[in-house]
Structure formats: C-alpha cells, structure tokens
Amino acid sequence: MKYRAFPGTRERVSALGMGCMRLPTREDGSIDRPEAIAMIRHAIDSGVNYVDTAWGYHGGDSEVLVGEALRDGYREKTLLATKLPVWLVEKPSDMREIFEKQLKRLGLESVDVYHLHALDAARFEKMQKMGALEFLTQLKREGRIRYAGFSFHDSFDVFQRILSAYDWDVCQVQMNVVDEFHQATLEGVRLAAQRGIGVIAMEPLRGGSLSRAVPREIQALYDAFPIKRSAVEWALRWMIDKEGFCTYLSGMSNMEQLNDNLRIFDSCEAGCLTQEEKKLLTEVREAYERRTPVGCTGCSYCQPCPQGVKIPEILQAYDRAVIFEDYEKFYTKYFSEPRPSCVGCCACESVCPQHFQPTIHEHIQRIEQMCQEHRAGK
C-alpha cells in the first residue's frame, strides 16, 4: 500500500480509503454484515488505514456496521471519518444531539475526522448561522474529533468561499475522470492543497457508472490503445496520477472489487501516467460528456421522495439507456411496477449534491413523457 502525507500532521494516510456507502447487501437491501465486516477488516489488514462513513449511508446502518468492524483492535489501526447531516439541523442544539447519536452508533467516544456533509452555498450559509464552525472547534477542544472538514457538492467559486471561511483540516470532493472541470474541479483541489488542507477524493468511479459496462465508443478507445487495462483500472489510475489528494475513497461492494482496488493501488502512485495515457483519458472524458444526459451518481440523498418517485433508479437507468443504447431494457424496467408521477414539489432539488441543469423535475418529466409515448406506440 502506498501512503501520502496528511497535511499539517504527522499522519500517513493510505492512498486507498475504504468508503462505506456501498457495502455488500442482501436481497432485502440490508447490509450483508459478515461480508461487510470481513471486507473492512481485510482492507485494514492489507494496509488501508482510512475508513469513511456517514449518518445516512445504508439508511443509517453504515455507522453501526463500521463500529462493529472496528472492534477487536481494528479501531487503533484506522483514521475514522463520519459526517454531520446538515440537512437535519434545524437549531444549534441539533448538532450536538446528532453527534452524540453517531458516537453511540459507532460505539466510540471520538472520531478522527468530522465533516459537515454535502455542503453547497445555501447549506453552508445555514450552518454558519447555526454556529457549526464554532461547534467543530469545540469538538476539537473536547478531544471528540481530531480533524474538522467538509464534503462538497457545488461550484468552484462556492468551494473557494468555504475554504476561506474556516481553518479547515480536510475537505472531501467529488473527482473522477469525467469530473475534472465539475464541482470543486482540479483547480480547487490544488488550491486546497496549497493551503495545507488535506483533500480526500470521493466517487472515483462516479458511483460505479465508469465500471459497470463501458459504451462501445469508449471501449474502442481503450481497445485501440497498446496497453490493455480494465475500465476500472484506467479510471483509478487517472485519479492516482494526480497530486494534491491524500486518499481516494472507493465504495467497494464485494471482496473481488476490494482485491482489485488493492492490486491497483499497490501498483501505482502519483505521476504514474505517461503523456500518451493522459491523452487517452482526456478522449475518454470527452466521449462520456457527449453521451451522458443526466449524470446521476445514485447517492440517494433525494430519497425518500414525498411522492414515492424512485429518482436515482429512474435517472441512472435512463443514463445507462442513452449511454449504452439499450432503451428496451429501460422501458421494460420502467413499466415493471406502478410508477408515481413527479408533481414538481422540487424537494429533491434542495438535497441533490449534483445541482443538475436541467433540474431533476425537468429530467423526470421528460422521461415520463418519453415512456408514455413509447407505451402509446409513437
């Protein structure tokens, strides 16, 4: 395992971090506890020392599972991160109440890294008014957390403002081969690193969308290149090559994925790509940008919808239909069960970290119309 410096500290952090948002699940959607615990412990035994969870992952069960996995001496081998669900904070006292509940779930007295979760401009303004920055400072004074940070989903200018508003230790940003110029951007990563802030990358495979199946146009680019690697390895190598990151969180869902990630991260480090490989991956990014109509990562922050609309399921299935030119599979799935209609309440817009344009409501309307026209035989 390769390790990188954690800015401003003596910590050395594994390049691969264990993301606990997409742990293995059973048919009923619950976490496969024995398999998930085995994965987390195998990762740590293999040199991974950064474990990331959050209040809402797996319907609130991720923190409990992670706490179980870190027993028997594993807690002492890790830097553990979790996050404050800022959308649930309605008054200042809520922050303390939620934090104490998180520690109870984890079965711990403290965590290493505590983030304000999924900040955008509106949420950050709200949390400033709630005294969240002072709350983070107080937790550090109490020894309940070691490092204060935030995870981010908005534009570069908002990222700059948040960086300048507090003496952050760490930040967590969405980054992958197709998001170089989106959200915080690589320029924002460099800015944070220059200020001595540890930068943690999330969504290196964009919710798995860069790995499940590769469009023919993009596979042709890989096939024509003299060096043969899987789409997963190409995407991860693009990430690992970049300077400025401490660790890369991968949401691995089975032991096979974990071992593949361990192999890749063991075999390369920053600066691993040649100029020809960088050119290939630029062409890959441009090809994905041309093909992807929405770009939903399946984070499920928009769930549950007040009307029962399964937003991530619909948007991700639509993306796959367009990218892979498989509309019949999409229609079959769409009509396989009753589908409540979007009423335009836009509750999803305030919690979606991607800030889609067109909006989620507009995408859903368009998809509903397309499906009805298909059923009518138009």
Side-chain angles (χ1 to χ4, degrees), residues 79-107:
L79 283 167
L80 174 62
T82 192
K83 309 174 189 74
L84 174 70
V86 300
W87 53 91
L88 297 181
V89 177
E90 299 297 333
K91 57 185 182 301
S93 62
D94 290 343
M95 293 183 288
R96 175 70 67 172
E97 182 179 343
I98 291 170
F99 178 71
E100 297 296 343
K101 287 181 179 178
Q102 290 179 287
L103 292 184
K104 185 175 181 180
R105 284 179 175 183
L106 290 161

Side-chain angles (χ1 to χ4, degrees), residues 16 48 89 125 127 190 237 374:
L16 174 61
V48 172
V89 177
E125 181 180 358
M127 296 313 293
R190 288 189 285 268
R237 279 179 173 265
H374 170 79

Side-chain angles (χ1 to χ4, degrees), residues 14-19 48-52 247-252 265:
S14 57
L16 174 61
M18 183 74 201
V48 172
N49 67 359
Y50 193 94
V51 177
D52 174 89
T247 190
Y248 308 88
L249 299 176
S250 185
M252 299 160 284
F265 276 85

Side-chain angles (χ1 to χ4, degrees), residues 109-126:
E109 295 297 321
S110 65
V111 295
D112 298 299
V113 180
Y114 197 54
H115 294 288
L116 303 184
H117 197 175
L119 289 187
D120 57 18
R123 286 179 174 173
F124 185 59
E125 181 180 358
K126 167 190 169 182

